[in-house]
């Protein structure tokens, strides 16, 4: 995967992460009793966060000063 493809993938993951956050907030605000659905969305959100971190770490390596 090229750097440009990785940057595009990173943006897609960030958008999906934001959308999941909004969906979780909406379910919780509606007082939805479907805690299993909320838990599944939260797990998916965490997996996306891990993928975002992994790609970001590759694109922006740590520089020892």
């Amino acid at each position: 995967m090229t750097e440009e493809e990785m940057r595009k993938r990173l943006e897609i993951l960030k958008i999906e992460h934001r959308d999941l956050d909004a969906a979780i907030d909406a379910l919780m605000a509606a007082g939805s009793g479907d805690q299993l659905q909320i838990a599944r969305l939260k797990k998916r959100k965490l997996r996306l966060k891990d993928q975002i971190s992994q790609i970001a770490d590759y694109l922006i390596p740590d520089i020892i000063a």
Side-chain angles (χ1 to χ4, degrees), residues 2 6-8 12 20 22 28 30 43 45 50 55-56 60:
T2 66
M6 290 180 86
R7 289 188 190 283
K8 287 179 184 177
I12 291 168
L20 278 174
M28 292 174 73
K43 283 183 182 182
K45 186 178 160 191
D50 289 342
I55 293 172
I60 306 167

Side-chain angles (χ1 to χ4, degrees), residues 9-24:
R9 177 73 176 145
L10 183 61
E11 286 305 312
I12 291 168
L13 291 174
K14 285 182 179 181
I15 291 168
E16 189 173 347
H17 187 268
R18 254 188 317 249
D19 290 347
L20 278 174
D21 197 33
I24 291 168

Side-chain angles (χ1 to χ4, degrees), residues 19-45:
D19 290 347
L20 278 174
D21 197 33
I24 291 168
D25 287 344
L27 282 173
M28 292 174 73
S32 175
D34 193 0
Q35 295 300 317
L36 183 59
Q37 178 69 20
I38 292 171
R40 286 180 180 150
L41 291 174
K42 285 182 176 182
K43 283 183 182 182
R44 181 171 169 88
K45 186 178 160 191

Side-chain angles (χ1 to χ4, degrees), residues 44-56:
R44 181 171 169 88
K45 186 178 160 191
L46 284 173
R47 282 193 303 269
L48 285 173
K49 184 178 178 183
D50 289 342
Q51 289 176 348
I52 289 168
S53 295
Q54 186 179 21
I55 293 172

